[in-house]
Amino acid sequence: MRGMLTGLIAALALAGCASPGPAKAQTAPVVEAPAGAVRGEAADGVNVFRGIPYALPPTGWRRWRPPAEMDRWANTRDATQFGAACHQPVSRGTSIYAGEAPTMSEDCLFLNVWTPEDARGAPVFVWIHGGSLATGAGSEAMYDGARMAAEGVVVVTINYRLGVLGYLAHPELSAESRKNISGNYGLQDQIAALEWVQANIAAFGGDPDNVTIAGESAGALSVMYLMTSPEAEGLFDKAIAQSAYMLSMPELRSRTHGDVPAEGLGWWLQEQLGQPNLAGLRAMDAQTLTVSAQQAGYAPFGTIDGVFLPAQMAHVFERGEQAPVPLLAGFNQGEIRTLRFLVPPAPADAAAYEAEIRARYGDLADAFLALYPSADMAESMLATPRDALYGWTAERLMRAQTALGQNGYLYFFDHGYPAMDEAGLHAFHAAEIPYVFGNPDRLPPRWPAIPDTPPEQALSDAMMAYWLSFARTGVPTAEGQPDWPAYGLTATYMAFEDGLVVRERLMPGMFELHEEVVCRRRVAGGIPWNWNFGVISPPLPPAAPVCR
């Protein structure tokens, strides 16, 4: 190995939640890494090193360039404080994901390491935060890796450039590039962080030949980007994608699937912000630029540039050209309960709902209405975007890895507790994260409080054990819990409910319906396969003999 939209941006933000102060340091561990010496803190058998720079951030007039490799620093670096978060909008109203505004800077390419104090050749778990590629940071409280590290795994969390600073494509930027491309700077940061892990993690007790990348929401989207990027080849050995969404992506200069070309979007944004050229954008204050771009309607996505992202993710996975690694992936029963801006206005009544579906889905309308009936229109309109975005993606990932001869492990999180269910948020988007990290007491202020009870602790223990076992061996196991079979030919999955149950065929017919919808749109061309489902779906193209 070598060394969504403005509403989505607002609602998926998991950034800015201040971590509680670490326990008083018993000693000050120092690691002599190839990047330079760092001094961290030790508590309860875990050493933590915060705010380690992994690349030089292009700032100011150098903004929108690839991350640059750092020279080795000469003196021992203090690594007891988190580094700044990357620039992001901070006003998120009453979202349950909102926390205190983080300290922000363009100098934000930091990572954090939690490691068992006696680690030698330990598996490495690299977490990529969510937040619509527009918000978040590796320093968020729920992502504290101490409890995972106490189980013998080295945990790394990373920052990466966000929003317009992380994903803008523009003709002038492409002209500056030796590869004649632009965009994907946040993805390039993630690759640089993984290269840093390859070169340095052994000094922290980690095994560079046993690295798992993991993320939720936009972090899971990033996991899929990395799985399809030739530039990330060999940098990881396993992958975990929690609530991933396999959207169509803009191409750099063409409009194959109806998305505006990424360079054209850059021109458009320049005009919206009243700037004459790229130099004008670079002269803007970073936070002003970030907020203004969001308010103008700019939403960050990966760009198909032929280098970092060679083709639509759906095409890459279909052709078997993705990373051949074991994969754990799944989604939550109530994904959309905290993302209701994804639910279109409801038709006047059940008859109007059925009429809309029949007009839009044609010969697939009966299959659609069997899954999303008018008899419970409110629930059906929550389930439609959940399945079209997250459910279809999870199953597609399982089938793709299985076809490669790699094990895939599918889960469905359907667990609730009193405060969550009383708020009407059963198994909402990201609700599984504190269980996986073992941090049910480290939540954003508006997050429904998880009760400190034996059943909740047992669920957290089980989920953490499965995730960390997968990071160790590629097979999720947990002592005293059911065996988790691979997805395989029987479409087996693990249901996390009040208990843990192994089942087969999650939501029969769901994957087949949405796969056919996406297939027809891909063949027809000119139609994105994101954000346009249910009563706002464009009329469905006719059946096609084969997808492309």
Side-chain angles (χ1 to χ4, degrees):
M1 303 180 74
R2 65 181 176 94
M4 264 164 102
L5 302 178
T6 300
L8 190 60
I9 290 170
L12 301 192
L14 292 173
C17 309
S19 295
K24 184 177 178 60
Q26 300 164 348
T27 60
V30 174
V31 166
E32 292 281 350
V38 290
R39 179 183 295 106
E41 292 181 341
D44 301 323
V46 171
N47 296 337
V48 56
F49 303 87
R50 303 178 180 88
I52 303 173
Y54 65 82
L56 288 173
T59 62
W61 68 269
R62 299 183 66 253
R63 187 180 289 163
W64 295 305
R65 290 187 178 177
E69 186 175 352
M70 299 182 65
D71 293 332
R72 190 181 196 277
W73 53 84
N75 300 319
T76 300
R77 182 183 179 91
D78 179 78
T80 60
Q81 302 295 321
F82 289 118
C86 296
H87 281 282
Q88 56 196 271
V90 296
S91 177
R92 297 186 291 276
T94 59
S95 166
I96 69 166
Y97 304 114
E100 296 179 6
T103 299
M104 293 179 287
S105 172
E106 284 193 90
D107 184 2
C108 65
L109 301 187
F110 299 103
L111 56 75
N112 314 293
V113 179
W114 289 262
T115 181
E117 61 182 4
D118 57 351
R120 296 290 185 276
V124 181
F125 181 93
V126 179
W127 179 256
I128 305 170
H129 68 77
S132 299
L133 303 178
T135 62
S139 55
E140 295 170 24
M142 280 197 302
Y143 308 153
D144 186 288
R147 290 167 182 165
M148 277 187 164
E151 300 299 319
V153 173
V154 175
V155 178
V156 180
T157 66
I158 68 173
N159 293 351
Y160 55 96
R161 280 174 286 177
L162 302 167
V164 66
L165 296 174
Y167 293 89
L168 181 72
H170 190 284
E172 290 185 60
L173 286 172
S174 297
E176 292 180 356
S177 165
R178 293 179 181 177
K179 298 177 180 177
N180 195 28
I181 60 172
S182 57
N184 295 328
Y185 302 107
L187 175 60
Q188 293 178 59
D189 295 342
Q190 295 169 8
I191 292 170
L194 291 173
E195 289 173 337
W196 188 97
V197 167
Q198 286 296 306
N200 291 274
I201 207 64
F204 294 84
D207 181 358
D209 291 323
N210 191 8
V211 174
T212 298
I213 56 171
E216 185 269 344
S217 194
L221 174 65
S222 297
V223 166
M224 293 191 298
Y225 287 164
L226 291 165
M227 290 181 70
T228 61
S229 176
E231 299 297 308
E233 184 178 354
L235 295 178
F236 57 92
D237 308 277
K238 307 175 197 71
I240 297 174
Q242 301 169 212
S243 300
Y245 45 103
M246 191 180 291
L247 305 178
S248 57
M249 300 183 294
E251 300 185 18
L252 191 61
R253 300 183 181 96
S254 59
R255 195 180 183 126
T256 306
H257 292 287
D259 291 305
V260 175
E263 285 187 347
L265 184 59
W267 274 121
W268 170 85
L269 182 62
Q270 174 188 307
E271 293 180 355
Q272 294 297 305
L273 300 185
Q275 297 299 328
N277 49 33
L278 179 64
L281 293 175
R282 280 181 165 146
M284 292 182 68
D285 169 77
Q287 185 64 10
T288 300
L289 173 62
T290 297
V291 173
S292 298
Q294 182 208 20
Q295 292 174 343
Y298 175 83
F301 289 103
T303 294
I304 297 175
D305 59 9
V307 177
F308 292 96
L309 293 174
Q312 294 288 347
M313 287 185 291
H315 301 172
V316 175
F317 279 96
E318 186 170 86
R319 296 193 294 248
E321 296 170 354
Q322 75 276 19
V325 298
L327 176 68
L328 187 156
F331 65 110
N332 296 359
Q333 193 278 341
E335 296 278 7
I336 310 301
R337 298 187 194 282
T338 48
L339 308 176
R340 289 180 182 266
F341 57 86
L342 291 175
V343 182
D349 53 31
Y353 172 82
E354 287 203 25
E356 289 283 2
I357 295 304
R358 293 196 179 281
R360 297 170 186 278
Y361 283 83
D363 61 302
L364 295 183
D366 286 340
F368 185 101
L369 291 168
L371 289 167
Y372 313 109
S374 61
D376 192 354
M377 186 167 60
E379 190 62 29
S380 290
M381 292 186 69
L382 288 171
T384 298
R386 176 198 67 198
D387 296 349
L389 290 172
Y390 306 108
W392 169 74
T393 297
E395 290 253 10
R396 205 171 202 281
L397 291 173
M398 290 296 104
R399 294 175 183 226
Q401 295 311 100
T402 300
L404 275 185
Q406 297 292 329
N407 282 339
Y409 296 92
L410 178 66
Y411 75 84
F412 184 57
F413 186 82
D414 193 11
H415 175 72
Y417 51 84
M420 175 196 287
D421 290 342
E422 288 166 8
L425 301 179
H426 180 83
F428 62 89
H429 187 72
E432 83 288 356
I433 293 176
Y435 293 92
V436 169
F437 276 85
N439 291 330
D441 55 342
R442 300 181 182 183
L443 306 174
R446 296 186 182 92
W447 195 285
I450 299 175
D452 183 11
T453 62
E456 298 300 316
Q457 186 60 55
L459 177 61
S460 180
D461 290 346
M463 293 190 74
M464 183 191 294
Y466 281 125
W467 264 241
L468 294 186
S469 170
F470 179 81
R472 291 186 189 98
T473 68
V475 178
T477 60
E479 185 176 355
Q481 300 296 342
D483 290 338
W484 187 343
Y487 180 85
L489 298 178
T490 56
T492 303
Y493 69 98
M494 178 69 76
F496 294 101
E497 303 169 348
D498 290 339
L500 282 66
V501 184
V502 175
R503 295 197 173 97
E504 295 180 357
R505 297 205 67 210
L506 175 59
M507 302 177 189
M510 178 271 289
F511 172 80
E512 290 77 9
L513 171 67
H514 295 290
E515 176 70 9
E516 179 65 18
V517 169
V518 171
C519 172
R520 294 189 188 187
R521 290 176 176 176
R522 288 168 57 195
V523 171
I527 307 173
W529 55 87
N530 44 7
W531 322 125
N532 50 7
F533 25 64
V535 297
I536 58 171
S537 171
L540 198 63
V546 65
C547 284
R548 66 169 182 233

